[in-house]
């Protein structure tokens, strides 16, 4: 198993993740409760990996109804 690189270990609290995504903390808690955003529950804490949030946000991008010509 490869050692994780330091960049993938950027862990964020709810407040930090909300600031990174420009969401309110209440909205972020709602997304977590509905399992709509990647997160880890650790006891009473919720933890996010910055790379997971970046990838999750990228997966939500849409380009409208136009088909892209290859």
């Amino acid at each position: 198993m490869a050692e994780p690189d330091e960049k993938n270990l950027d862990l964020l609290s709810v407040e930090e993740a909300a600031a990174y995504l420009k969401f309110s903390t209440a909205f972020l808690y709602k997304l977590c409760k509905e399992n709509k955003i990647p997160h880890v529950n650790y006891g009473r804490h919720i933890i996010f990996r910055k790379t997971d949030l970046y990838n999750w946000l990228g997966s939500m991008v849409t380009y409208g109804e136009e088909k892209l010509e290859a």
Side-chain angles (χ1 to χ4, degrees):
M1 182 174 199
E3 278 191 44
D5 80 27
E6 205 170 302
K7 183 173 76 171
N8 290 329
L9 294 178
D10 261 348
L11 301 178
L12 304 175
S13 66
V14 172
E15 292 77 14
E16 293 167 330
Y20 176 68
L21 295 170
K22 297 183 175 41
F23 290 165
S24 70
T25 55
F27 183 63
L28 197 54
Y29 279 117
K30 180 178 185 247
L31 291 175
C32 291
K33 185 177 181 181
E34 296 171 355
N35 285 320
K36 292 186 175 180
I37 193 166
H39 67 285
V40 174
N41 288 320
Y42 186 74
R44 295 180 57 189
H45 302 280
I46 299 174
I47 302 168
F48 302 88
R49 286 193 311 185
K50 195 171 187 177
T51 55
D52 290 340
L53 296 179
Y54 181 82
N55 292 331
W56 172 78
L57 195 57
S59 73
M60 307 282 283
V61 174
T62 59
Y63 298 98
E65 294 183 59
E66 297 178 11
K67 291 184 181 178
L68 298 177
E69 299 289 326

